[in-house]
Amino acid sequence: MEQLKRIDRRERERRERWDLSPAATRSAESKGREEPEEPDPLRTAFERDRDRIVHCNAIRRLARKTQVFIDPENDHFVTRLTHTLQVAQIGRAMAIALGLNEALTEAICLGHDIGHAPFGHTGEDALAEIVAGGWVHSDHSVRILSVLEPLNLTWEVLDGIRAHPWRVETPPATPEGYLCRFADRIAYLSHDLIDAMRADIIRYRDLPFRSQALLGDRHSRWVTAMVHAVVDRSTATGTVSMDLDVAEAMAELRAFMFERVYLRSEGRAHRHHAIKVVQDLVRHYETHPSEIPSTVPEGRTALEQAVDYVAGMTDRFASRAHSERCG
């Protein structure tokens, strides 16, 4: 009696063609890779990309990169890695519900924050001040996956990673890329709230009233409400979008988090120190390029090489290197 069935790439591509929504991105119709490759016998192109990202060095460093609280002592605070896993889970859930490409969504979500500097957005701000034209973590994610640790990913995955921040003017080219935008915001708002409560910075009753009324009183309800707001509105409109009432509640909650958590006055000293660490290290390695490991490719200016190296550091590695090189 046959108990298992081999489902190879061709069968998966056939299922994508017939089972997914008309708007979904089919792996067989990908714009391809910079370097052409023979197709994998089992996996679709987007499944292959997802697996490559999971196994790369850059994603492992996210375990020691901060989300909100710099190098927290409590093991339960969110890191860039746990954030990434939550974004991928939320993105996959929405992709399945909407008949979009689950593997493409997951690959984009897993790679979206790979380029973050040490100390989160504070490190990003520090680099943006000294790099001509600014420095954006999503662009650096693409650089890592294309140049520093080249994985030869498909165009659609790199595009979704590039465009996942809402402030990026050129939007994602695929609906799966848009899902990552929503999954990222849903994840960080919900888990950053938990961390802020764990740190006794805010209490639930401090939250904006509309957020309490629409999103509920616990983490699981916040995530569920926001996911349903995307799935329901997207189904009704035919494009990836969010229920307007919940979107406005999220905007209020985000503004509240910036005021009370992300930019609170008590954290100013930590932010100033983190900025100093990042910028001091860049200046040091710019003038001492021989200290940069050979894993950082040459052929760019000393400043660009220094930025590539420092941007890849974890929080603790950056702090230790600063003590040793700039202390």
Side-chain angles (χ1 to χ4, degrees):
M1 178 178 177
E2 184 178 305
Q3 296 182 343
L4 297 175
K5 179 182 178 181
R6 181 185 177 93
I7 303 175
D8 62 14
R9 172 182 54 81
R10 292 185 183 277
E11 173 62 17
R12 295 179 191 187
E13 290 175 347
R14 188 194 69 78
R15 293 184 180 188
E16 286 184 357
R17 186 166 62 252
W18 294 109
D19 295 346
L20 296 184
S21 297
T25 307
R26 271 73 178 172
S27 56
E29 299 171 4
S30 168
K31 292 184 179 181
R33 309 176 188 277
E34 185 172 347
E35 296 292 333
E37 297 180 5
E38 286 294 321
D40 187 87
L42 293 179
R43 299 169 296 171
T44 67
F46 299 145
E47 290 172 339
R48 205 175 189 183
D49 284 0
R50 174 202 61 201
D51 297 348
R52 288 178 179 181
I53 292 170
V54 166
H55 289 279
C56 75
N57 289 327
I59 200 168
R60 288 193 282 276
R61 293 197 296 269
L62 297 183
R64 294 195 176 276
K65 290 199 176 190
T66 193
Q67 177 65 23
V68 174
F69 297 93
I70 297 174
D71 197 15
E73 294 184 3
N74 189 316
D75 290 337
H76 293 148
F77 279 94
V78 174
T79 66
R80 283 284 158 195
L81 182 58
T82 52
H83 164 71
T84 293
L85 295 176
Q86 290 177 19
V87 173
Q89 179 271 319
I90 292 169
R92 286 179 56 248
M94 294 191 294
I96 294 169
L98 292 170
L100 294 176
N101 196 305
E102 177 186 354
L104 173 57
T105 304
E106 188 175 18
I108 294 170
C109 291
L110 287 170
H112 83 285
D113 266 358
I114 271 179
H116 250 297
F119 312 119
H121 287 286
T122 300
E124 181 172 19
D125 293 341
L127 292 175
E129 290 178 2
I130 59 178
V131 174
W135 189 91
V136 181
H137 76 274
S138 55
D139 288 342
H140 194 65
S141 294
V142 173
R143 175 165 171 75
I144 287 175
L145 297 169
S146 302
V147 179
L148 302 181
E149 192 176 348
L151 302 183
N152 197 33
L153 303 180
T154 56
W155 183 91
E156 291 79 8
V157 170
L158 292 175
D159 173 78
I161 292 171
R162 170 199 62 80
H164 82 267
W166 288 90
R167 66 179 181 274
V168 173
E169 292 184 5
T170 304
T174 65
E176 291 84 1
Y178 270 103
L179 279 186
C180 182
R181 282 188 165 189
F182 281 106
D184 184 28
R185 184 161 290 185
I186 291 169
Y188 78 66
L189 280 178
S190 55
H191 62 52
D192 289 357
L193 277 168
I194 294 295
D195 277 358
M197 292 178 185
R198 183 175 288 119
D200 293 326
I201 294 172
I202 59 172
R203 294 163 294 183
Y204 175 75
R205 64 174 177 264
D206 298 328
L207 305 186
F209 175 76
R210 180 152 52 167
S211 298
Q212 296 183 43
L214 289 177
L215 302 181
D217 61 356
R218 68 191 65 160
H219 178 264
S220 61
R221 291 181 178 175
W222 300 335
V223 173
T224 298
M226 289 186 276
V227 165
H228 278 266
V230 172
V231 172
D232 293 346
R233 178 73 174 178
S234 301
T235 304
T237 63
T239 59
V240 177
S241 51
M242 175 177 265
D243 175 82
L244 296 180
D245 286 342
V246 175
E248 289 175 358
M250 278 182 67
E252 288 183 6
L253 185 58
R254 185 171 181 270
F256 168 84
M257 291 294 289
F258 268 92
E259 178 185 353
R260 296 288 298 273
V261 180
Y262 302 142
L263 301 178
R264 72 190 191 282
S265 58
E266 294 83 352
R268 235 172 251 156
H270 288 292
R271 287 195 296 275
H272 288 325
H273 176 69
I275 289 172
K276 176 176 172 56
V277 167
V278 170
Q279 293 184 345
D280 284 354
L281 285 173
V282 170
R283 295 188 186 100
H284 172 81
Y285 289 111
E286 182 184 10
T287 56
H288 300 81
S290 62
E291 297 181 13
I292 298 176
S294 58
T295 51
V296 178
E298 298 179 358
R300 283 157 58 89
T301 67
L303 174 60
E304 290 168 332
Q305 281 187 277
V307 168
D308 279 346
Y309 182 44
V310 174
M313 293 180 175
T314 63
D315 296 9
R316 291 182 185 179
F317 187 91
S319 296
R320 187 168 65 249
H322 186 263
S323 297
E324 295 172 352
R325 302 290 195 276
C326 312

